[in-house]
Amino acid sequence: MDNKIKLRNAGLRPTKQRIIIADILLNGFNRHFTAENLQNEISISGNKMSIATVYNCLKKFKNAGLIKQVESYTDTAIFDTNNISHHHFLNEETGELIDINNNEINLVKLPDIPKGFINSGVDVIIKLKKNN
Amino acid sequence: MDNKIKLRNAGLRPTKQRIIIADILLNGFNRHFTAENLQNEISISGNKMSIATVYNCLKKFKNAGLIKQVESYTDTAIFDTNNISHHHFLNEETGELIDINNNEINLVKLPDIPKGFINSGVDVIIKLKKNN
DNA sequence: TTTTTACTTTAAAATGGTTCTAAACTACTT
DNA sequence: AAGTAGTTTAGAACCATTTTAAAGTAAAAA
């Protein structure tokens, strides 16, 4: 269970609930998910967690940099276990996201950043429509 | 009032309410706004409209291609009167969006589009953080 | 250890944006 | 002028998320 250590290193107290979530999310496989998706996976793993706790944990994990929240065109927050900078295809009909590796996109020209700000990340979203 | 004609050309019955909204939105100045923003502007213009109607009209305007809905990292839908393909700066602290003209960004390499789909638009979002 | 303290979890209520309902209304057609 | 199909509305419903406040737990102090 070195997820206990991972949590501690991230500055999070390793509670029973956070360890359950870390065991599900931080296993090396990347995925996109909603709070409800995660609660279902927790149930499947034989555990039970209040939705408030799921949201609390997701916020903590996100602020600690263990997961990211990604853009969404729907009204449900989508999280991503892939912390490496990358981009997304968006299926406009379903809202589903598919990862695009950074090296598959080349942005050669960027606009001047407004005064007083710095660029804190660039997201490219390629919207997809069914080809009929 | 050629907004009446604009609405008809877009396939929308030009009701009193839709004309009020068209007069506010389709005046050549581009802006980002929420449903609530728009309802406030309607009040300021001396009119009164139910929030349900505001939402109904925004949906119709959007499907007719008169306005766009843009990505949002907050839980409130943001609309844009700028129909020309363009990108955005996102102020991460406030959620505010600033337009970026298409010619200020140059994407020279794009990934292969998944089979069965076509590219229906690319959004680039440059996130901004205060520079301290 | 035991005690203390600060943080965490929880069910349930509250919140806030958005959509639905169903009745009244209005633009357009006949 | 009458019919009909689409539209507006207030209010209820919905649903994702956050808050509340009380009970529980991990870590620190004694």
Side-chain angles (χ1 to χ4, degrees):
Chain A
M1 278 314 108
D2 71 342
N3 278 327
K4 205 161 176 170
I5 292 160
K6 237 184 245 173
L7 286 169
R8 246 191 254 283
N9 289 343
L12 298 180
R13 180 184 287 191
T15 64
K16 197 160 132 284
Q17 289 81 355
R18 288 177 187 164
I19 292 168
I20 289 168
I21 290 179
D23 286 347
I24 291 174
L25 295 182
L26 311 180
N27 62 5
F29 290 95
N30 289 320
R31 87 260 308 272
H32 303 114
F33 61 97
T34 65
E36 203 192 345
N37 293 158
L38 178 56
Q39 198 185 29
N40 287 338
E41 289 196 60
I42 291 166
S43 294
I44 290 167
S45 79
N47 296 288
K48 174 171 165 310
M49 204 176 299
S50 125
I51 192 68
T53 304
V54 174
Y55 277 105
N56 285 344
C57 290
L58 285 175
K59 191 178 280 178
K60 291 281 187 180
F61 275 48
K62 174 180 148 193
N63 291 336
L66 294 173
I67 61 174
K68 288 202 302 189
Q69 181 171 358
V70 299
E71 68 283 347
S72 166
Y73 289 70
T74 71
D75 53 6
T76 308
I78 299 178
F79 298 88
D80 191 337
T81 54
N82 186 350
N83 268 316
I84 298 164
S85 165
H86 66 287
H87 305 293
H88 290 116
F89 287 116
L90 166 73
N91 182 329
E92 290 197 293
E93 279 144 41
T94 63
E96 187 203 7
L97 294 172
I98 301 168
D99 281 2
I100 302 173
N101 285 334
N102 247 10
N103 63 14
E104 294 194 80
I105 286 195
N106 194 359
L107 263 163
V108 294
K109 186 181 169 192
L110 284 179
D112 293 336
I113 301 302
K115 259 214 178 74
F117 291 93
I118 57 169
N119 175 337
S120 77
V122 178
D123 290 345
V124 178
I125 300 154
I126 301 178
K127 290 179 276 188
L128 300 178
K129 208 166 38 193
K130 269 225 196 66
N131 163 27
N132 314 301
Chain B
M1 281 312 109
D2 72 342
N3 277 327
K4 206 161 175 169
I5 292 160
K6 235 184 248 173
L7 286 168
R8 245 190 255 283
N9 289 343
L12 297 180
R13 182 184 286 190
T15 65
K16 195 161 132 284
Q17 289 81 355
R18 288 178 186 164
I19 292 168
I20 290 168
I21 290 179
D23 286 347
I24 291 173
L25 295 182
L26 309 179
N27 61 6
F29 292 95
N30 289 321
R31 86 257 314 269
H32 303 115
F33 61 97
T34 64
E36 203 191 346
N37 293 157
L38 178 56
Q39 198 185 30
N40 286 339
E41 291 196 58
I42 291 166
S43 295
I44 290 167
S45 78
N47 295 287
K48 172 169 166 310
M49 203 176 299
S50 125
I51 192 68
T53 304
V54 174
Y55 277 107
N56 285 344
C57 289
L58 286 175
K59 190 178 282 179
K60 291 283 187 179
F61 275 48
K62 174 179 149 192
N63 291 337
L66 295 173
I67 62 174
K68 288 202 301 191
Q69 181 170 359
V70 299
E71 70 281 351
S72 168
Y73 287 70
T74 70
D75 53 5
T76 308
I78 298 178
F79 298 87
D80 191 336
T81 55
N82 187 350
N83 268 315
I84 298 165
S85 164
H86 67 286
H87 304 293
H88 291 116
F89 286 115
L90 166 71
N91 182 328
E92 289 196 293
E93 280 145 40
T94 64
E96 188 203 7
L97 293 172
I98 301 168
D99 281 2
I100 301 172
N101 285 335
N102 247 10
N103 64 13
E104 293 193 80
I105 286 195
N106 195 359
L107 264 163
V108 294
K109 186 181 171 193
L110 285 178
D112 294 336
I113 302 301
K115 260 215 177 72
F117 291 94
I118 57 169
N119 175 338
S120 76
V122 178
D123 290 345
V124 178
I125 300 155
I126 301 178
K127 290 179 275 187
L128 300 178
K129 206 165 40 191
K130 268 222 195 68
N131 163 26
N132 313 304

